[in-house]
Amino acid sequence: VDVLKATALPLLKKFGIDGESLEIKINRRGMPPKGGGEILFACPVRKVLQPIQFTDPGKIKRIRGTAYSVRVSPQMANRMVESARSILNKFLPDIYIYTDHMKGVSSGKSPGFGMCLTAETINGTVLSAELASNPQGQGAAVLPEELGQNCAKLLLEEVYRGGCVDSTNQSLALLLMTLGQRDVSKVLLGPLSPYT
């Protein structure tokens, strides 16, 4: 959800789908296996999409992120932030990672933690990466430090792949281009994901 909020919404805005009514709001965070999350998604109806020329990604200017913890110690989020920063600080000074701890009614039914990181460029390109802990009782337990470092490496991988849209949103960009008017849209993509 965090990745969609950070990357898909700006992409929709480029195609002319915008306004105050476009939003994703996280009411409750759910983690697998039992879930229990709740998201509010609102989007205005548009009859026509505008064509886009989006071929220069530009240089990275800042990194933002969210480290969330659900039904576990709030310290987990802080540990993820520290380990992610230990890698990203070598490349960029402007890094801010929010911590989001949910407990009680606002949390889902299963414990867990995760992280979403986004790199923004001077030209409005947003690249993202995310990781979450393994569901309770499935797979090996993941340390928050490990998860933070791996998420930072995934983000650097996305930056290395290049393109104006990250691998998560390639298919969305192409779909919106197809639905647009009979006009030329151009988008620069990195290596295509298997799904794309």
Side-chain angles (χ1 to χ4, degrees):
V1 179
D2 297 281
V3 163
L4 288 177
K5 193 172 178 177
T7 60
L9 293 190
L11 185 63
L12 289 174
K13 285 178 182 166
K14 284 196 187 313
F15 282 95
I17 305 170
D18 58 356
E20 286 181 10
S21 53
L22 178 66
E23 67 164 348
I24 294 180
K25 194 172 168 207
I26 302 167
N27 293 335
R28 281 205 299 270
R29 273 193 194 278
M31 297 293 288
K34 293 182 184 160
E38 183 181 282
I39 280 106
L40 177 83
F41 173 62
C43 182
V45 177
R46 292 283 179 268
K47 288 199 167 46
V48 180
L49 295 177
Q50 59 196 33
I52 64 167
Q53 303 294 315
F54 198 26
T55 52
D56 181 12
K59 293 195 176 341
I60 305 288
K61 64 173 178 179
R62 65 176 176 212
I63 292 174
R64 295 289 178 264
T66 307
Y68 55 87
S69 53
V70 179
R71 292 187 177 270
V72 292
S73 161
Q75 203 52 43
M76 295 289 197
N78 298 336
R79 286 163 64 185
M80 284 185 286
V81 171
E82 287 302 311
S83 62
R85 286 188 74 107
S86 72
I87 290 179
L88 298 173
N89 275 338
K90 295 173 190 166
F91 303 102
L92 205 70
D94 189 0
I95 299 168
Y96 196 87
I97 305 171
Y98 300 90
T99 55
D100 183 10
H101 177 66
M102 297 232 166
K103 56 181 192 266
V105 185
S106 61
S107 69
K109 296 176 177 148
S110 297
F113 52 89
M115 179 176 243
C116 159
L117 293 172
T118 57
E120 295 172 41
T121 71
I122 48 177
N123 293 353
T125 297
V126 184
L127 306 170
S128 68
E130 72 170 336
L131 271 181
S133 58
N134 291 330
Q136 196 178 15
Q138 295 173 27
V142 184
L143 287 172
E145 286 81 5
E146 221 174 285
L147 190 134
Q149 283 181 351
N150 290 342
C151 193
K153 287 174 188 168
L154 274 178
L155 182 69
L156 294 175
E157 175 75 25
E158 281 292 345
V159 172
Y160 173 72
R161 289 168 65 110
C164 295
V165 181
D166 61 7
S167 49
T168 317
N169 291 301
Q170 285 175 346
S171 51
L172 176 64
L174 295 178
L175 177 71
L176 292 169
M177 285 165 74
T178 315
L179 294 171
Q181 306 159 321
R182 288 195 171 185
D183 203 341
V184 180
S185 278
K186 285 184 183 174
V187 170
L188 177 71
L189 301 175
L192 299 181
S193 67
Y195 181 78
T196 309

